[in-house]
Amino acid sequence: MINIVDKKNCCGCSACVQRCPKQCISLVEDNEGFLYPVVDNEICIECGLCEKVCPILNPQDKILPLEVLAAKNPNESERINSSSGGVFILLAREVINRGGVVFGAVFDECWEVHHVYAEKIEDVYPMMGSKYLQSRIEESYKDAESFLNSGREVLFVGTPCQIAGLRSYLRNKNYSNLLAVDFICHGVPSPGVWRRYLAEAYGGYDANEQSRLQAAVGKNTVWYQSLNAKSPIGDIKFRDKTMSGWKKFRFVVRSKSASKADKNSVLSSDIHSDNPFMQGFLSNIYLRPSCYDCKCKNGVNHSDLTIADFWGIQNVASDFDDDKGVGLVLVNTQKGKEYFDLLGMDVRKSSLEIVHQFNGVFCKSVNKHPKRSLFFTLISDKKTIKEAVYICSIIPLYSKILNKFKRLVKKSVKYILGDMGIKIIKNVLNKKI
């Protein structure tokens, strides 16, 4: 049976929960706000299915992409409201028009994220855009299997570990009517931290009431106080490009009465690097433990297509960059190529080397923030998310001086030796030659 001893060995995909024939596995939130499977030993029949469908326990071999492309949806409106160059909405429309079903992540009524399926294109629109949270898969693998077995086409979009979980749940059966799409993932921040951040920033969080609850039933209740019924939130965009463009995207929260004509509908609007939640996320302070040692990256989840934003496009194809968003597409299978070729996107050929240069998290995990434990201690001691992120982000003076020295040395070496010299030195230091 599934028994999580080291939390870095659970990505939270929920394949074990959905495959259990006795339904004796439930997901329980820990004191960091992440969900983990817990087995009811009295009901468990020890069939071992939960272990057989775990993508961490059953890793697959890496596959290399057939093609690497820069891509843009020719519809600028769709691209402005999308991530990854607007690839997803074109894929979804193709599958819907063929009578298929699309699975993706949407906000729920509390502004947390879960997976749902859509059979009409208007139900696909809420799936568009980045949502920097771990989505609850819930019953989506079961639902997808049911649609696949009935002969309908299924587009399933998720993080690398969610696609690995889907493949494992399906026992790696090669369904010709399944198109599995993942995206290059930085890591997933804590849903519990997000819940509390929203409550603190937009109403509903009461530190004194939280302390009373903690004293009564334990520290885990720090995660269960969410937005109250009077929350003003009507829309959240993690990647709003309408104000500052694609590269300086903004974190924007709008009120329930939001409309394009109502300029007062914006509750908050921050350049992503200035927003406290995004700062903590991008600094790797509160990612899931498995994200620091991800076992599902670099082609091992066998997705048909991998999509992402083509960061660095201005350095390799500046004429293709209009600051409205350029997508990076890794075509991993022949099936993925057949679907992608139907979309009519504007494309440029690229290479895996460029992916590694500008989208390094495709093949390697991010480093854990050295003050991660301190962050969770701070918010347990009544510090707000904003305060805790600020405290953990303070860089000591000696580190600032050292970092500045390193940059000067690197700049000097590059000036003297050029890019090739830098590459040779890196290879020597990494003992590659």
Side-chain angles (χ1 to χ4, degrees):
M1 71 178 72
I2 288 288
N3 180 28
I4 307 302
V5 177
D6 188 338
K7 289 183 176 179
K8 75 176 183 181
N9 293 324
C10 176
C11 63
C13 70
S14 87
C16 57
V17 178
Q18 294 181 70
R19 186 50 78 190
C20 177
K22 301 298 288 184
Q23 298 182 333
C24 67
I25 305 176
S26 56
L27 291 173
V28 177
E29 195 166 283
D30 73 348
N31 62 349
E32 292 184 345
F34 294 105
L35 294 172
Y36 291 92
V38 175
V39 179
D40 185 337
N41 293 322
E42 293 185 3
I43 303 175
C44 177
I45 58 174
E46 298 188 18
C47 64
L49 280 177
C50 56
E51 294 176 325
K52 292 176 182 177
V53 299
C54 174
I56 305 301
L57 295 177
N58 302 281
Q60 301 299 304
D61 294 330
K62 178 176 72 172
I63 61 172
L64 293 174
L66 306 176
E67 291 181 308
V68 179
L69 304 168
K72 293 191 296 189
N73 185 330
N75 184 319
E76 278 196 8
S77 176
E78 289 185 344
R79 190 150 52 97
I80 284 291
N81 289 291
S82 302
S83 301
S84 307
V87 179
F88 163 70
I89 187 62
L90 292 179
L91 284 171
R93 187 175 289 117
E94 180 66 29
V95 171
I96 293 288
N97 288 343
R98 291 158 67 154
V101 185
V102 177
F103 286 79
V106 302
F107 287 112
D108 65 15
E109 65 279 3
C110 293
W111 298 102
E112 297 180 38
V113 180
H114 66 144
H115 259 64
V116 297
Y117 65 82
E119 299 179 82
K120 297 181 292 185
I121 193 63
E122 54 264 35
D123 294 330
V124 169
Y125 297 142
M127 300 177 185
M128 295 171 66
S130 296
K131 302 170 183 71
Y132 293 127
L133 294 164
Q134 182 161 34
S135 172
R136 303 187 309 273
I137 287 292
E138 297 172 346
E139 299 285 298
S140 292
Y141 293 164
K142 280 186 179 181
D143 293 336
E145 183 180 40
S146 178
F147 284 123
L148 290 167
N149 289 335
S150 70
R152 295 181 68 178
E153 291 188 27
V154 169
L155 167 61
F156 200 106
V157 182
T159 61
C161 60
Q162 288 172 338
I163 297 302
L166 173 66
R167 292 290 195 192
S168 293
Y169 175 84
L170 297 173
R171 305 303 299 275
N172 295 306
K173 181 178 178 180
N174 186 22
Y175 283 94
S176 62
N177 51 335
L178 170 64
L179 181 68
V181 178
D182 72 328
F183 46 84
I184 295 180
C185 180
H186 179 91
V188 291
S190 163
V193 170
W194 169 249
R195 188 183 307 139
R196 177 159 155 182
Y197 168 73
L198 287 184
E200 290 173 352
Y202 303 102
Y205 183 73
D206 183 327
N208 292 326
E209 174 64 8
Q210 195 61 61
S211 296
R212 187 189 67 78
L213 287 171
Q214 283 182 225
V217 292
K219 283 193 173 183
N220 280 10
T221 44
V222 70
W223 306 116
Y224 290 98
Q225 186 163 351
S226 59
L227 289 170
N228 62 27
K230 296 180 181 179
S231 166
I233 297 175
D235 185 42
I236 295 175
K237 289 285 190 297
F238 280 94
R239 296 274 306 280
D240 190 293
K241 295 181 276 187
T242 59
M243 301 179 186
S244 306
W246 172 47
K247 299 178 192 66
K248 293 184 179 180
F249 62 87
R250 304 182 76 91
F251 176 88
V252 178
V253 179
R254 293 183 171 87
S255 69
K256 290 177 180 176
S257 60
S259 70
K260 292 182 179 179
D262 181 9
K263 293 183 180 180
N264 294 324
S265 67
V266 176
L267 293 173
S268 65
S269 175
D270 305 318
I271 295 291
H272 63 278
S273 55
D274 295 334
N275 176 264
F277 181 81
M278 292 296 290
Q279 286 174 347
F281 162 55
L282 294 173
S283 299
N284 314 326
I285 295 176
Y286 37 73
L287 303 185
R288 190 179 182 95
S290 60
C291 295
Y292 303 114
D293 186 25
C294 180
K295 300 294 194 300
C296 303
K297 289 181 178 291
N298 207 14
V300 301
N301 64 14
H302 293 196
S303 63
D304 296 296
L305 294 168
T306 298
I307 60 178
D309 285 276
F310 201 128
W311 302 122
I313 188 66
Q314 69 273 16
N315 298 314
V316 296
S318 58
D319 62 312
F320 200 60
D321 175 28
D322 57 6
D323 205 30
K324 294 182 175 67
V326 178
L328 170 66
V329 181
L330 280 69
V331 181
N332 301 321
T333 66
Q334 187 60 37
K335 186 198 303 181
K337 177 174 173 54
E338 290 170 2
Y339 271 94
F340 183 78
D341 287 347
L342 295 171
L343 305 184
M345 300 197 76
D346 299 331
V347 299
R348 293 281 182 90
K349 288 189 176 181
S350 188
S351 69
L352 202 56
E353 183 179 24
I354 291 175
V355 174
H356 291 165
Q357 182 179 358
F358 295 108
N359 256 302
V361 292
F362 166 70
C363 58
K364 61 183 180 181
S365 302
V366 299
N367 294 322
K368 182 166 67 173
H369 195 283
K371 296 181 181 178
R372 185 180 187 277
S373 296
L374 173 63
F375 170 83
F376 286 104
T377 298
L378 289 170
I379 62 173
S380 292
D381 292 337
K382 293 189 179 182
K383 292 293 185 184
T384 66
I385 301 299
K386 182 177 181 178
E387 290 168 339
V389 167
Y390 174 76
I391 292 169
C392 292
S393 300
I394 295 173
I395 302 174
L397 180 60
Y398 71 86
S399 293
K400 290 182 180 179
I401 295 172
L402 181 60
N403 290 337
K404 187 172 183 179
F405 176 73
K406 286 179 178 178
R407 287 195 295 270
L408 287 172
V409 170
K410 184 177 179 181
K411 187 175 181 179
S412 300
V413 172
K414 185 175 181 180
Y415 178 78
I416 297 169
L417 300 178
D419 290 333
M420 184 54 69
I422 293 288
K423 190 172 183 179
I424 291 172
I425 290 173
K426 283 184 177 179
N427 286 337
V428 170
L429 292 175
N430 291 329
K431 299 180 180 180
K432 290 184 179 179
I433 61 173

